[in-house]
Amino acid sequence: MTDYLFPNDSGYDTERRGYNLSVDHKPEVVIPATSVADVVDAVRLATSRGLGVAVQATGHGPSVPADGQVLINTSRMEGVAIDPVARTATVEAGVRGGALVRAAAEHGLAPLNGSSPEVGVVAYHLGGGIGVLGRQFGWAVDHVRSLDLVTADGELRHVTATSDPELFWALRGGGKGSLGVVVALEIDLHPVARLYGGGMHFDATDPGEAERVLSTWAEWTRTTPETMGTSVLLIQMPDLPFLPEAIRGRRVVHVRFAFTGEAVDGERLVSRFRELGPVTDTVAEMPYAHVGTIHAEPTTPVPFHARNTMLHAFDQAAVAELLAETATGRYLVEVRHMGGAFTRPGAVPASLGRRDGEYVTYAGGVAETGEAASLVADLDRLMARLAPWSTGGPAVNFLSGPDVTAARLAAGYLPADVERLAEVKRVVDPTDVFRTHHGRA
């Protein structure tokens, strides 16, 4: 058994912290797991003491602190096995997206990874998985073949559509920390070895320029092929010396592209934006292993608060509302193009039933404790202004921070599936051992 770490032990603070510092865990004990046996022992320890169990790999998406509980840190479980013939990958609980991408790329294959190389593969899939290639291949969760799960009774279960169809349904979309500890996943890989991708920054200091770029993108996405993944980010860049002079300290719009078709076709598709005069342009042919450079998301831990909602449309009127509400530049706003295969059901039904978004908008910012209430109020006001375009529900994968309520989480599912998930929970975890998960606040 690995070492237990208690509050006064060296290493306790390091092990309990994750990327989003807005949730400050104070568990009774932290267990840095290195194997499935460690996870089994940790769950049995917790149940023997009447404690709850929480699990953390990278800490990007916590919503409830694991205070007074057993926190299992799975970040050391980093095994990745690629089967190039079957086009599958088996990943352990601590594997990050970038490590999986690199391992698959050695065989000319790609997972349906997200935009950040630092996000944990397991939790990303359990929450649905909005991948860079998702318009072409669908949600990442629809490409899960099997899961290895340690349940509340301390037993390891291999879960498939055949062995346990109801639990398999529930875990894929609704199993993020609430039904057990997923210690491994088997997922599909896809024959994608390169992209025509990258990003273009536009100076948005002038609101008219921001409106021009966002409106162009909104109109352009209505006719783009499913082989084009794209998003747009409105952000006030920090004044830091390592940033390019053209964007340092400026308010910018960053338009991102990930196209799996031929480079000549990709160049034609993005030419409309080059005509708008970007101040940076990194869009080019690239190996898929470099996909994480497209969004180039930060990796330094911060106290982050966010909101998101699915949109049935994103038109010029929505652009105007977004720009009017975000003029201060206090927080970032991203809009990702969904539609395509994201709207279609997977081959095997999953609890991720809400597939009604043609777009998803995500807004968030950094705030210390004393500033959080004001930031959250601003984010809520933006969501209210975008309500006419909202489908009424969020993307579960983008829910994080202490403001995630049970109602907000439930809105991410079809109403009938909320009770079905609750019934699976009652069967597999009747004493609510895994009580530290989204929506308990």
Side-chain angles (χ1 to χ4, degrees), residues 203-223:
D203 190 338
T205 306
D206 178 357
E209 178 67 5
E211 192 279 335
R212 185 168 69 116
V213 175
L214 288 173
S215 293
T216 298
W217 182 83
E219 190 274 332
W220 174 79
T221 57
R222 292 182 201 126
T223 58

Side-chain angles (χ1 to χ4, degrees), residues 81-209:
I82 306 295
D83 184 335
V85 177
R87 292 180 180 172
T88 63
T90 301
V91 296
E92 292 185 341
V95 175
R96 297 178 184 236
L100 173 59
V101 167
R102 290 189 295 273
E106 293 180 7
H107 305 278
L109 300 170
L112 299 184
N113 58 284
S115 55
S116 171
E118 295 302 311
V119 168
V121 172
V122 167
Y124 164 81
H125 278 78
L126 298 181
I130 298 176
V132 176
L133 303 178
R135 280 179 42 76
Q136 182 175 358
F137 296 106
W139 294 84
V141 74
D142 290 329
H143 297 269
V144 172
R145 294 193 175 196
S146 67
L147 310 96
D148 290 339
L149 177 76
V150 178
T151 46
D153 54 7
E155 297 297 321
L156 176 65
R157 300 167 69 167
H158 184 66
V159 182
T160 69
T162 303
S163 69
D164 196 334
E166 195 67 2
L167 184 55
F168 188 67
W169 171 86
L171 285 167
R172 295 175 307 117
K176 214 170 175 183
S178 64
L179 300 172
V181 182
V182 175
V183 292
L185 288 177
E186 182 186 14
I187 60 173
D188 294 324
L189 300 175
H190 305 272
V192 178
R194 37 69 60 199
L195 290 172
Y196 184 77
M200 299 181 193
H201 284 100
F202 296 84
D203 190 338
T205 306
D206 178 357
E209 178 67 5

Side-chain angles (χ1 to χ4, degrees), residues 44 48 64 108 131 142 151 164 199 215 219-220 240 299 346 358 366 394:
R44 291 176 178 175
S48 71
V64 182
D142 290 329
T151 46
D164 196 334
S215 293
E219 190 274 332
W220 174 79
L240 297 173
T299 58
E358 289 295 321
V366 176

